[in-house]
Amino acid sequence: MNTPRLAALLLLSTALATPALAQTQDQPAPPVDEAAPAADAAPAEEAPAEEQVDISLPGEIVVTGARDRNVTRSADQVVSVLSSTEIARTGEGNIAGALGRVTGLSVVGSGFVYVRGLGDRYSLALLNGSPLPSPEPLRRVVPLDIFPTNVVASSLVQKSYSANFPGEFGGGVINLTTTAVPKESFLTISTGISGDTETTGHFGYTYFGAKSDWTGFDNGSRNAPPALAAFFGSGLTIDDPSVNRQEIAGQMVRFSRATLQKMDQVPVNYSASLSGGTAIELSGDAVLGIVATAGFSNKWTTRDSIQQRASTQNLSELESDYRRVVTDNRMVSNALLGLGLELGRHKFRLTNLYIRDTIKQGRLAAGTDIQTGFSRMNQDTAWFERQLIDSQFVGELRFGDLNIDLRGTYANSQREAPYETSIGYVRTNAANDLFGQYYINRLNNGQQGYAAVSFSDLNEDLWYGGIDVSYLLTPRLTASVGYAFTDTQRTSSRREFQFIAPSDFNLSNESVGVAMLRPDLLLAPGIIDYYKINLVETTQSDPAFAAALRIHGAYGKLNYEPIDGLSIDLGVRFEKARQSVSPVQVFNVPSNSGASTLLNNDHWLPSATVTWEVAPKMQVRANASQTIARPQFREMMFQQYYDPESDRLYRGNPLLSDSKLTNAEARFEWYFAPEQRFSLAGFYKQIDKPIEAYTSFTGNALETSYANAPRATLYGAEVELTKYLDLSEMGGLLTTRRLVAVANYTYTKSKLGVSANDTVPVYLGRISIQPATNYFVDGTPMTGQSDHIANLQLGFEDTDSLSQQTFLLSYSSTRVVSRGGGGMPDIIERPGLRLDFVARQGVTLGGQEIDLKFEARNITGRSHEEFQQAGGNRVEINTYKVGRSFSLSASLKF
């Protein structure tokens, strides 16, 4: 009896530590590149796509089958796998960039991966099969750009839902796998330098900070000063008569933290990493594996952007027009320690991961408020720390036909932003302003100036445990059950303090001269005391919140092969979730921090996939399922929040509810040669109550909030081709070389469904049921969705040694990043076409292997564009040149 699929049912569980899938073989295939020392390792000799194996089953029945090492082909679901070899070919420094080359995936903003046009809220990120906490205030998903490729051995993207995964599965799941037991001992040292044409060697902005800033670790200089620390601990409000506001204000602004300085030449970027591992044979058939990695990078980026705002719906007149220069110094430190133990067929893994991602930012904006005629200059300094600590255990127990997988995780993420300092200077340009040629700080006097310092803190703990049990009932039928528990606890706070000058400040010649001082002198203790400059806390009504999400999930699944070449995978998942968001009482007297939110929902989520081998090496798949998407924590809290990275105000809606998705897909796959394939797929999603952002005016500022749109549909198609062309017959230098072509294209179309009778609940200080047409327009696309996404990798590589030269072309069409407010057009991003080149060459020097890599990114000089457009009128919301970047790195292998 020939059973080609039964021999590989547990390949994903073994290779990528996803929740259990059934297996029928005694010795599972080796994990996909799991033993690779790092993502930049040389490509290993590929195993044949299939090999004949004899599997002894109970009862002395011998089954001869084909063990398929192609995970994409043998999986019961639609998956894409990025091995360490494929990650290295892209040359990307973080896993988000590498995933952007996968069919149907795009990377938006700071490392958030969109799957088939669905935003990051519809995607799930796992590490070795366990969920990850997020260090982002506005999201519950983790940005994948914080994962350097040296800590990731492979990555799996599953696009069709199966019941063994968590129910928050709209677009797909991304599972990152770290290295386990290496096949052989290794030690790799890597270093590199890079720069780009818009940053390196050009001017930028920074501030002193502290001597240790280059490491990404503050030396304590950003701790709250004594007066402010005492105020935080007192439980008093800033307007309490016993609070010495002048003393607090006088300690808050210092030269080292608040005074922007120009850099004549921004330095080059650099990075270094160390990876090592070994396998130790213990008594009997036990093997202990040890893998450790450590890395550090220091990178500079300057963005010289145009930021405009329109005053009319047809965009014919501008309200403001600014040029803003932002310089980021980003420092990333990472370390991984993995222990793997193999006891015969049983495997155990303990993984500890640490990532710290810090951005030191200086911003300077100058421009005109056209409505008032005032000229303004705003300067900002900031320090953003993001940190992830993840400790997890994975156990794979194999007892003949019974398989048990165990997973346990504790993870903590943090984000701290101390001393975000914003100073706004203004020039009235009035005829009677004797000092009109200078920028004069009004310190929020008559809304003509601004000075504020804020402190933000986020802490999130995640506990996770899961068990999966599968049993081979017959050679053709496997049953699986499982249970998972997730408990996420988050606390988040933001305290902003604003300086207020008396009404007569700047009206005398004496104070006019003072108002032109740089920030640390302008807000020095003596000036604050002399002019009685006051301090208010703008976040006093909503300083902090606590959020929690507890999920109990259980599933049952059957995998059945009624005849050779036909596989049916059926399952259902039940999830019970309790999600809450509530204000935290910071002061002795309770503040008005908005409404609390509690969602307590149960969901039954079925899934079914049929795979039929219609011809040798050809198969078709059909999948149908139901999944959900939950609101993110910050979206549920009725608090105003300023995000300095997007320069936008946000406010949550406590009336949000879960979204439910109905998914369907049909797919044709042709594996016409080893390592080569062609696939064509069509997909459809119907979304009930999708969560969409909308924009409105609060005072004179735009504010983004959220509501459940009535409905949405999304459909599309994707095509993928991987082809290798042997060039050996051409002889000469091409004897051992081949041409590599990897191409994919995804078409996606989404539409909101809004009718005249539809309503949406919004919170405006009270529950309000509003017509849906007040917030959403029927037929408009969902935010973040590009109609067209295409990738092409075209290059040469040597089959006997490390030598690769690859051109990488990517294209994404326009997408909506935010809804326009007050009837204005949506804000559009145009990613466009981007061309990169990566060359890798292995050389031997002094008996040691050296991997040399050269990268040229954004060769065509594509700019970043965010804009609003109506007819022939266009307003630049955030448009800047990205620049061409170049890097050179070397890895020494012992």
Side-chain angles (χ1 to χ4, degrees):
M1 174 169 59
N2 190 356
T3 58
R5 295 189 58 79
L6 286 174
L9 290 178
L10 197 63
L11 185 58
L12 291 180
S13 176
T14 305
L16 298 168
T18 57
L21 297 176
Q23 81 161 17
T24 63
Q25 60 192 51
D26 283 335
Q27 297 296 328
V32 177
D33 292 301
E34 189 178 68
D40 59 354
E45 184 71 21
E46 295 285 349
E50 294 185 354
E51 65 180 60
Q52 293 297 315
V53 294
D54 289 338
I55 305 173
S56 297
L57 299 177
E60 301 299 326
I61 300 175
V62 177
V63 179
T64 300
R67 182 168 62 192
D68 191 344
R69 296 177 184 248
N70 189 319
V71 177
T72 304
R73 178 181 180 182
S74 62
D76 293 305
Q77 310 297 330
V78 176
V79 302
S80 299
V81 176
L82 268 181
S83 66
S84 61
T85 300
E86 293 168 311
I87 294 172
R89 185 183 291 142
T90 69
E92 299 286 356
N94 61 70
I95 197 62
L99 286 169
R101 313 289 179 177
V102 175
T103 309
L105 271 62
S106 57
V107 180
V108 178
S110 301
F112 296 99
V113 177
Y114 285 42
V115 181
R116 289 176 169 173
L118 289 172
D120 55 89
R121 73 169 67 251
Y122 297 102
S123 299
L124 180 67
L126 306 175
L127 181 67
N128 294 327
S130 297
L132 290 161
S134 174
E136 292 298 310
L138 293 174
R139 292 175 169 91
R140 206 174 63 247
V141 294
V142 63
L144 296 181
D145 66 338
I146 71 172
F147 286 91
T149 51
N150 70 306
V151 302
V152 178
S154 59
S155 176
L156 176 142
V157 180
Q158 181 168 319
K159 301 174 187 176
S160 62
Y161 179 66
S162 56
N164 52 311
F165 278 110
E168 284 191 88
F169 188 115
V173 64
I174 300 166
N175 186 46
L176 309 179
T177 305
T178 57
T179 306
V181 179
K183 296 178 181 178
E184 57 184 23
S185 299
F186 66 91
L187 178 63
T188 303
I189 301 175
S190 302
T191 185
I193 58 172
S194 65
D196 73 77
T197 57
E198 291 295 320
T199 301
T200 311
H202 295 268
F203 85 91
Y205 293 104
T206 188
Y207 62 99
F208 178 76
K211 291 183 179 180
S212 64
D213 283 0
W214 68 271
T215 66
F217 293 83
D218 178 57
N219 63 1
S221 65
R222 292 178 175 86
N223 294 339
L228 182 63
F231 167 70
F232 283 156
S234 69
L236 300 174
T237 59
I238 196 71
D239 51 4
D240 189 284
S242 64
V243 175
N244 189 334
R245 294 186 289 276
Q246 275 72 40
E247 181 185 16
I248 297 173
Q251 296 180 4
M252 198 169 288
V253 178
R254 291 289 182 266
F255 169 82
S256 62
R257 299 186 295 258
T259 303
L260 204 62
Q261 297 173 286
K262 181 180 177 180
M263 304 176 65
D264 290 330
Q265 290 187 335
V266 175
V268 298
N269 312 319
Y270 60 91
S271 63
S273 64
L274 175 68
S275 302
T278 188
I280 304 172
E281 293 188 3
L282 305 177
S283 59
D285 55 358
V287 178
L288 174 65
I290 303 174
V291 175
T293 67
F296 175 77
S297 65
N298 188 304
K299 181 179 180 180
W300 295 84
T301 304
T302 297
R303 304 185 298 277
D304 187 349
S305 61
I306 301 172
Q307 297 184 338
Q308 301 172 330
R309 180 176 295 173
S311 59
T312 61
Q313 293 184 2
N314 60 13
L315 311 185
S316 59
E317 296 181 8
L318 291 180
E319 180 179 293
S320 62
D321 189 1
Y322 284 81
R323 178 188 175 191
R324 189 186 197 199
V325 178
V326 181
T327 300
D328 288 341
N329 184 200
R330 183 178 185 184
M331 293 74 66
V332 179
S333 303
N334 66 85
L336 179 145
L337 176 62
L339 302 175
L341 179 63
E342 296 183 358
L343 298 174
R345 298 181 60 209
H346 308 307
K347 297 182 180 180
F348 305 92
R349 174 191 295 186
L350 181 63
T351 304
N352 296 281
L353 175 66
Y354 173 81
I355 298 174
R356 185 181 181 88
D357 187 335
T358 303
I359 294 177
K360 181 180 181 180
Q361 187 176 88
R363 307 192 296 268
L364 184 68
T368 303
D369 285 344
I370 297 172
Q371 302 299 315
T372 63
F374 294 171
S375 297
R376 296 182 183 274
M377 183 175 71
N378 303 322
Q379 73 142 62
D380 303 84
T381 59
W383 175 269
F384 305 107
E385 301 174 358
R386 298 186 300 180
Q387 181 174 284
L388 173 66
I389 299 174
D390 191 290
S391 296
Q392 56 182 226
F393 168 80
V394 176
E396 300 175 9
L397 307 176
R398 305 295 177 248
F399 305 99
D401 296 334
L402 176 66
N403 302 315
I404 302 174
D405 286 358
L406 305 170
R407 299 178 307 283
T409 296
Y410 168 72
N412 171 265
S413 66
Q414 297 181 21
R415 180 187 185 271
E416 293 185 36
Y419 284 105
E420 289 182 68
T421 304
S422 300
I423 308 290
Y425 293 84
V426 65
R427 185 173 64 199
T428 64
N429 298 319
N432 61 351
D433 190 345
L434 298 178
F435 292 86
Q437 68 270 32
Y438 299 107
Y439 287 97
I440 300 173
N441 191 297
R442 305 287 186 176
L443 291 178
N444 204 39
N445 181 9
Q447 296 186 345
Q448 295 180 17
Y450 185 79
V453 180
S454 64
F455 300 81
S456 302
D457 185 72
L458 181 150
N459 185 84
E460 182 167 306
D461 291 308
L462 184 146
W463 294 89
Y464 172 80
I467 181 172
D468 299 276
V469 180
S470 64
Y471 187 74
L472 184 66
L473 299 173
T474 74
R476 292 187 180 273
L477 179 63
T478 301
S480 303
V481 295
Y483 167 78
F485 171 75
T486 306
D487 185 28
T488 304
Q489 303 283 337
R490 169 183 286 200
T491 57
S492 180
S493 66
R494 187 172 189 271
R495 309 287 296 271
E496 182 184 78
F497 299 91
Q498 190 168 316
F499 297 84
I500 303 294
S503 58
D504 60 350
F505 187 70
N506 264 3
L507 298 181
S508 66
N509 290 341
E510 176 190 8
S511 60
V512 164
V514 171
M516 293 185 293
L517 294 173
R518 71 190 194 199
D520 59 306
L521 300 179
L522 172 65
L523 297 172
I527 298 232
I528 288 175
D529 290 340
Y530 182 81
Y531 288 100
K532 300 296 186 285
I533 294 175
N534 198 12
L535 193 68
V536 298
E537 183 174 355
T538 60
T539 54
Q540 184 167 301
S541 64
D542 50 10
F545 74 89
L549 175 62
R550 179 169 293 182
I551 304 172
H552 297 272
Y555 75 91
K557 193 162 73 77
L558 292 174
N559 188 277
Y560 180 49
E561 187 178 12
I563 60 174
D564 292 349
L566 179 64
S567 174
I568 302 173
D569 192 79
L570 299 173
V572 64
R573 185 179 188 88
F574 173 76
E575 281 198 353
K576 182 178 182 63
R578 187 181 190 276
Q579 186 173 3
S580 63
V581 179
S582 58
V584 172
Q585 183 173 333
V586 175
F587 307 109
N588 297 334
V589 178
S591 61
N592 178 24
S593 294
S596 299
T597 304
L598 175 63
L599 293 179
N600 205 341
N601 294 324
D602 299 343
H603 295 285
W604 289 93
L605 305 172
S607 66
T609 302
V610 177
T611 305
W612 178 29
E613 188 174 1
V614 295
K617 301 182 180 180
M618 293 184 184
Q619 61 188 27
V620 295
R621 299 182 193 266
N623 171 270
S625 63
Q626 286 190 327
T627 56
I628 58 172
R630 296 185 177 93
Q632 306 195 54
F633 291 140
R634 175 64 73 171
E635 297 169 348
M636 300 168 64
M637 191 64 200
F638 188 68
Q639 291 178 320
Q640 190 178 78
Y641 176 80
Y642 172 71
D643 179 23
E645 297 183 38
S646 62
D647 194 28
R648 295 189 180 113
L649 289 169
Y650 292 85
R651 188 185 295 274
N653 177 7
L655 303 179
L656 292 178
S657 61
D658 294 350
S659 306
K660 194 156 190 177
L661 296 89
T662 300
N663 315 286
E665 177 173 1
R667 186 179 188 90
F668 168 76
E669 301 169 356
W670 178 24
Y671 300 88
F672 51 86
E675 308 175 68
Q676 304 177 64
R677 65 181 182 272
F678 169 82
S679 64
L680 177 65
F683 52 88
Y684 173 83
K685 296 179 184 292
Q686 180 177 303
I687 309 175
D688 182 39
K689 298 182 178 179
I691 300 171
E692 285 284 297
Y694 68 88
T695 305
S696 60
F697 282 97
T698 299
N700 295 323
L702 284 173
E703 183 180 84
T704 298
S705 190
Y706 306 89
N708 289 101
R711 69 197 67 86
T713 56
L714 181 145
Y715 59 89
E718 61 185 30
V719 61
E720 179 181 8
L721 173 67
T722 301
K723 174 65 180 175
Y724 297 108
L725 181 62
D726 188 2
L727 304 177
S728 60
E729 294 183 358
M730 302 179 68
L733 296 176
L734 302 178
T735 301
T736 60
R737 299 186 72 81
R738 65 181 182 181
L739 177 68
V740 179
V742 180
N744 59 68
Y745 166 75
T746 304
Y747 171 76
T748 309
K749 194 71 174 179
S750 66
K751 295 187 297 183
L752 293 181
V754 184
S755 64
N757 297 325
D758 287 327
T759 60
V760 296
V762 294
Y763 192 82
L764 305 174
R766 57 181 176 81
I767 298 175
S768 178
I769 306 300
Q770 297 284 322
T773 52
N774 288 356
Y775 300 90
F776 307 108
V777 178
D778 183 62
T780 56
M782 300 176 67
T783 53
Q785 179 253 312
S786 293
D787 286 357
H788 308 279
I789 300 174
N791 292 284
L792 173 65
Q793 297 181 39
L794 192 64
F796 296 93
E797 66 182 26
D798 199 301
T799 57
D800 288 350
S801 61
L802 175 58
S803 180
Q804 297 176 340
Q805 301 81 37
T806 309
F807 284 95
L808 302 103
L809 192 68
S810 61
Y811 171 78
S812 294
S813 61
T814 57
R815 56 193 176 215
V816 176
V817 294
S818 183
R819 302 294 180 193
M824 291 187 174
D826 292 337
I827 298 173
I828 303 296
E829 180 185 1
R830 179 175 289 163
L833 189 69
R834 179 181 172 121
L835 177 64
D836 301 336
F837 174 74
V838 179
R840 301 175 64 226
Q841 183 66 47
V843 298
T844 302
L845 185 63
Q848 300 294 334
E849 285 186 61
I850 301 178
D851 176 1
L852 300 176
K853 181 169 66 174
F854 169 77
E855 303 172 55
R857 303 283 181 184
N858 195 28
I859 295 173
T860 58
R862 181 71 191 181
S863 297
H864 176 88
E865 300 178 53
E866 283 185 50
F867 58 91
Q868 290 175 294
Q869 190 162 13
N873 299 320
R874 171 166 159 157
V875 174
E876 305 296 339
I877 302 298
N878 188 25
T879 297
Y880 55 88
K881 292 182 179 179
V882 175
R884 301 169 178 87
S885 64
F886 304 90
S887 68
L888 183 64
S889 61
S891 298
L892 178 62
K893 302 172 184 177
F894 297 93

